[in-house]
């Protein structure tokens, strides 16, 4: 068993809106701008990094 401890995920209240802006001078979708803005938040970035590590290292994903 691993000593890896799953960090607590941030929980956002229902109806939370994100004040993001698209980068001027280039095409950027709303979704891309939103994700880029969300990853500027350290807690969200760390949560997503941990989720990626769990997914990438999960041996159950290798079974068929």
């Amino acid at each position: 068993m691993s000593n890896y401890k799953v960090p607590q995920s941030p929980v956002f209240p229902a109806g939370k809106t994100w004040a993001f802006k698209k980068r001027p001078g280039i095409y950027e979708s709303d979704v891309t701008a939103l994700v880029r803005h969300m990853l500027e938040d350290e807690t969200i970035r760390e949560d997503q990094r941990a989720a990626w590590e769990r997914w990438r290292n999960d041996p159950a994903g290798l079974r068929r």
Side-chain angles (χ1 to χ4, degrees):
M1 187 72 124
S2 173
N3 291 334
Y4 181 74
K5 184 175 181 180
V6 177
Q8 283 287 41
S9 296
V11 177
F12 302 103
K16 172 157 178 56
T17 57
W18 296 88
F20 65 91
K21 291 187 178 186
K22 294 182 182 182
R23 290 183 277 192
I26 64 169
Y27 172 77
E28 184 173 50
S29 71
D30 288 345
V31 172
T32 302
L34 173 63
V35 170
R36 183 177 45 78
H37 177 74
M38 289 175 72
L39 291 177
E40 292 171 357
D41 183 324
E42 182 64 34
T43 58
I44 294 173
R45 183 175 40 240
E46 180 58 26
D47 179 64
Q48 291 303 301
R49 187 202 59 75
W52 167 252
E53 290 297 324
R54 282 192 310 271
W55 177 82
R56 191 181 76 168
N57 295 315
D58 183 8
L62 300 175
R63 294 187 210 126
R64 287 192 172 201

